[in-house]
Amino acid sequence: MTDTGLPMTVPAQGLPDRVRIHEVGARDGLQNEKSVVPTEVKAEFVRRLAEAGLSTIEATSFVHPKWVPQLADAEQLFPMLGEIADVGDVALPVLVPNERGLDRALALGARRIAVFGSATETFAARNLNRTVDGSLAMFEPVVARAKDAGVHVRGYLSMCFGDPWEGAVPVPQVVRVAKALMDLGCDELSLGDTIGVATPGHVRELLSGLNDAGVATGTVGVHFHDTYGQALSNTLAALQHGVTTVDASAGGLGGCPYAKSATGNLATEDLVWMLDGLGVHTGVDLGVLTATSVWMAEQLGRPSPSRTVRALSHKE
Ligand code: HMG
Ligand code: MG
């Protein structure tokens, strides 16, 4: 480490010049928090993330409030973020499971939405109260109407590597649902390792399987949870395969209320440390981002699980 709190930059072969970080701290990071975070704190969190240079900040979810009580304030929060969306080019995607959610998001002027499917039946039932194909049927009019309205659509796919109830998930099973999501008209796909069990060879195999099925790597993002400490290795494997969109959560916040073994996402600071060291451009200021996560940890009353946040915030 240097005196500036930044890694020495030593580029490596076969990596993209630039990575777009899809920041999920305000949504995936907070959705599992037991005590309700005040709406003003969430708005301030998003504002600080934008100041740190993040250009895609997932803001909240328009899901049933009883299913995710922490995000029940989406109607209050989203309008508070208007100024942020106007500053620079910050995109504020929101999760939408069905037409009711789409109506709510469109009424507030959302320009980017994400539907979220599952590669396994058990998680589809627990998270969406549907079968896998039933959830695809639920998304069909959502994607069609969003596209008609000129809204960008991300298709999340959960349990792409392993499922706490069903075990390892075969690649062809994942590819089928991923392809179906893209065939609905999603602009991009995000491969969710919801419980953090993936390893780099498995990541490569899934990306190749998607390519073989006609899903181009340029439309694919990766979404790793860090349960087994594999998120960064998996990300590097994905970047080497040509992926340029990586989901991460400031401070490593996160989890999924409907998959108890899920821990936090890959910490954005850990990702930026690696990418800064590799000379891969992200547009993110690591110091400002770390200060944001330290501030958020104070709001939540416990230290950030991110190794990089801990290292940089304890540095004299
Ligand atoms: P359901 O109970 O089957 O809903 O839940 P329904 O369609 O039968 O409707 C029941 C009632 O809910 C109706 O009201 C609807 O209007 C209302 P009533 O007519 O009885 O008065 N309703 C809604 N209200 C507000 N907003 C809505 C909405 N939808 C229905 N959008 C549902 C189905 C999909 C709604 C429910 O299962 C749900 O909200 N699930 C969300 C779960 C969730 O948010 N999980 C976390 C996000 S996924 C994740 O974290 C993974 C990810 O990070 C990637 C990874 O890591 O793998 C993305
Ligand atoms: Mg997640």
Side-chain angles (χ1 to χ4, degrees):
M1 192 169 74
T2 66
D3 287 339
T4 56
L6 293 170
M8 192 170 98
T9 300
V10 183
Q13 296 285 312
L15 292 174
D17 295 336
R18 175 179 292 271
V19 158
R20 183 174 65 85
I21 298 178
H22 184 108
E23 168 60 46
V24 297
R27 193 281 303 172
D28 211 349
L30 294 184
Q31 69 183 7
N32 210 28
E33 282 296 317
K34 295 283 172 290
S35 53
V36 174
V37 178
T39 310
E40 294 71 25
V41 171
K42 293 175 183 169
E44 177 68 7
F45 186 34
V46 174
R47 192 181 64 70
R48 288 178 183 237
L49 291 169
E51 275 176 12
L54 287 152
S55 58
T56 307
I57 306 172
E58 204 164 271
T60 187
S61 299
F62 289 91
V63 296
H64 195 295
K66 287 204 183 109
W67 283 66
V68 185
Q70 180 64 256
L71 304 183
D73 61 352
E75 254 83 14
Q76 290 71 49
L77 175 65
F78 198 75
M80 292 167 73
L81 307 178
E83 280 174 29
I84 298 165
D86 292 342
V87 175
D89 244 351
V90 179
L92 299 169
V94 293
L95 259 60
V96 161
N98 53 15
E99 288 195 89
R100 173 89 179 86
L102 180 69
D103 291 339
R104 292 172 59 204
L106 291 180
L108 295 174
R111 303 304 303 153
R112 279 181 175 246
I113 64 153
V115 294
F116 46 103
S118 169
T120 65
E121 290 295 346
T122 314
F123 189 64
R126 286 178 176 254
N127 200 44
L128 294 163
N129 199 24
R130 300 286 184 281
T131 61
V132 167
D133 288 343
S135 15
L136 291 168
M138 179 166 74
F139 301 149
E140 189 174 359
V142 175
V143 179
R145 284 182 50 205
K147 299 301 298 172
D148 281 351
V151 167
H152 182 277
V153 183
R154 156 176 269 224
Y156 272 111
L157 187 58
S158 286
M159 303 299 173
C160 285
F161 300 92
D163 172 292
W165 304 279
E166 299 184 22
V169 184
V171 167
Q173 181 176 330
V174 180
V175 169
R176 181 189 81 83
V177 191
K179 180 86 170 60
L181 276 172
M182 293 310 277
D183 288 346
L184 289 182
C186 290
D187 297 289
E188 71 174 8
L189 182 70
S190 174
L191 302 174
D193 182 15
T194 320
I195 56 169
V197 292
T199 46
H202 197 166
V203 171
R204 284 190 200 101
E205 190 170 283
L206 177 55
L207 289 168
S208 297
L210 287 167
N211 295 156
D212 292 345
V215 179
T217 304
T219 60
V220 178
V222 286
H223 179 105
F224 295 119
H225 286 258
D226 205 22
T227 321
Y228 293 88
Q230 304 296 301
L232 261 188
S233 318
N234 291 334
T235 300
L236 188 58
L239 298 181
Q240 286 165 338
H241 192 92
V243 167
T244 57
T245 299
V246 180
D247 298 5
S249 164
L253 296 172
C256 177
Y258 293 100
K260 289 298 171 212
S261 45
T263 61
N265 294 77
L266 167 62
T268 313
E269 290 84 355
D270 297 8
L271 174 64
V272 172
W273 180 274
M274 179 178 81
L275 295 178
D276 278 356
L278 287 165
V280 175
H281 188 76
T282 63
V284 175
D285 182 315
L286 188 56
V288 177
L289 181 61
T290 300
T292 298
S293 289
V294 169
W295 171 82
M296 196 62 205
E298 283 164 11
Q299 309 303 311
L300 298 174
R302 59 170 196 282
S304 159
S306 159
R307 306 283 285 262
T308 302
V309 169
R310 276 187 270 151
L312 291 178
S313 58
H314 291 139
K315 196 168 70 75
E316 291 303 313

